[in-house]
Amino acid sequence: MLNLLFHTQMSLGVGQAAVVAVLAIIVAQFASRRGAKIGREIPMVLLRGIVQILLVGFLIAAMLRGPWWTGIPVLVVMIFIAATIVRRRVPELPGAYTLSLLCMAAGAGGVLTVMTLLGIVEPKIIILIPVGSMVIAQNMNIQSLFLNRFLGEVRSHRGEIESALALGASPEHAAESYLYASFHASLIPAIDNLRSLGIVWIPGMMAGMVLSGTSPIYAALYQFVILSMIFIAGAVSCLTATYLVPRRIFTPQQQLRRLT
Amino acid sequence: MTTNTAVLEARDLSRTVDQPGGPKSLLRNISFRLDQGQVLAVLGPSGAGKSTLLRLLNRLDEPTSGTVLLQGADTRDMDPRTLRRRVGMVMQQAYLFPGAAAANVRYGPAQHGIVLEDSQVADLIRQVGMAGYEDHDVSTLSGGEAQRISIARALANQPEVLLLDEPTSALDDLSKQDIEHLLASLVRERNMTCVWVTHDVAQARRVADLVLRLEAGQSIAFGTSQELLHA
Ligand SMILES: Nc1ncnc2c1ncn2[C@@H]1O[C@H](COP(=O)(O)OP(=O)(O)O)[C@@H](O)[C@H]1O
Ligand SMILES: [Mg+2]
């Protein structure tokens, strides 16, 4: 229907975006009347979202003309920004920013570096930026889930942790079972995405590749590669966190900090 | 003048914490000394700082100032893990680790590289009146039974001093009596030095040699149980 009104790809895109934005605002208004307080928030979120993603579109368009390695600083900046978002999820954790920065540098950063060196991620802007941002964004979610869950576990098991300390356990040992539980819980979504791949879920990347004319078989394989990378990056970052996070919640005198 | 060193001595212990509204004093200038086998009852209303005091003694919390001496040695010079093996603690709730009772009893010694024999585990569990419960899952135990296992778990480390933080106050009346009786006899049998926090004056009278009364973080009385509670 819209393609009858708009004749260039650009104007069609604007039209499509406008229609879904209006629909989202209408739905939000209905939800507000039912008591969900999103009516006022949604227009701002939509505006913010479209401005951000358009800027990225322009940025990629500009970068396409330059050498591929200009993608590297962009991804690095993304990791820095992702760390500020993780910190916001766990404001009570001392040093959360540096911690999540280090973990995601090891996870998303490490995986993207190795995959690029192996040639699995081609060093081209058109591949590096979208694939890299996907891995970083998912890594950020996994990292937030991990820290959030871990702090929740610690808060609800202070008695057990301090009992272990009082028996002479090391802080690492006292927190160990909660680290493992959080590690597992934070990777469940990434594992379930792999499990349900193609059956419950045909991810956006694959849809995009097929839409832009890539062979569906290659798109399918590439999607599997990306989900595996997301899992590996998440696992590496949380594993790094299991080593670094005890130092943040225990004092040098091996006391459990109060996390307010 | 006494020449013998106290088993446990607190000198001018204070703890202040930073809070949004400014520093808050939780405990101020607490001193006492305990000889081998003495039981000190720490009495006071809820929020008086009793738990805070105990936690300074095994360094689960950090004193802001003052000193704790164990057999004459400053506890700040010890590895906290060694200190905590030597100064055991039983809390208001058992906080057992998921799994079998025996695994809980083995936990403390294992932290110091010691593997208890089955017979040693059985013996500890028998001493707290739970003979045969080694393989029971702790999630099936009643409050009183769990507290008994937590006592066995603390004793497994063979501590020189035992800290008890209201060990009976989360229990029903019948278990209260049983656990008090069990602890009192274990402490007497082993001639253990003990700091026993309670808000129950009658309990303090029954179990303690010395009494320290706390109110709002300050010591308002320190003396023998005879002087303070039997007058
Ligand atoms: N780390 C802390 N930060 C702020 N307040 C604390 C801290 N630890 C204990 N308190 C407060 O100190 C007071 C004494 O606590 P506590 O020693 O547990 O008392 P008691 O065991 O006598 O009931 C309470 O008001 C408690 O809320
Ligand atoms: Mg208390």
Side-chain angles (χ1 to χ4, degrees), chain B residues 50-51 92 165-166 197:
Chain B
K50 305 183 298 294
S51 299
Q92 195 167 336
D165 194 354
E166 306 198 37
V197 167

Side-chain angles (χ1 to χ4, degrees), chain A residues 159-160 162-170 173-174 253-255, chain B residues 55 59-62 80-81 84 91 95 97 107 111-112 153 157:
Chain A
E160 286 81 358
E162 291 196 318
S163 293
L165 293 177
L167 289 162
S170 68
H173 196 248
Q253 296 81 32
Q254 313 190 3
Q255 298 143 344
Chain B
R55 295 163 57 88
R59 219 177 174 191
L60 277 184
D61 282 331
E62 196 65 9
R81 296 179 56 194
R84 292 170 193 157
M91 304 188 188
Y95 294 123
F97 309 127
Y107 189 92
Q111 303 313 308
H112 307 93
R153 180 175 71 174
N157 266 339

Side-chain angles (χ1 to χ4, degrees), chain A residues 258, chain B residues 15 17 19 24 26 45-52:
Chain A
R258 280 215 166 192
Chain B
R15 178 164 161 83
V17 291
Q19 283 206 323
K24 181 182 175 193
L26 304 183
S46 173
K50 305 183 298 294
S51 299
T52 302

Side-chain angles (χ1 to χ4, degrees), chain B residues 96-101 104 130 132-147 149:
Chain B
L96 297 177
F97 309 127
N104 273 271
M130 296 284 288
Y133 272 67
E134 287 88 316
D135 297 328
H136 278 239
D137 191 292
V138 297
S139 64
T140 65
L141 301 180
S142 72
E145 290 170 336
Q147 192 62 310
I149 297 299

Side-chain angles (χ1 to χ4, degrees), chain B residues 147-159:
Chain B
Q147 192 62 310
R148 286 172 188 269
I149 297 299
S150 92
I151 293 165
R153 180 175 71 174
L155 293 179
N157 266 339
Q158 300 191 303

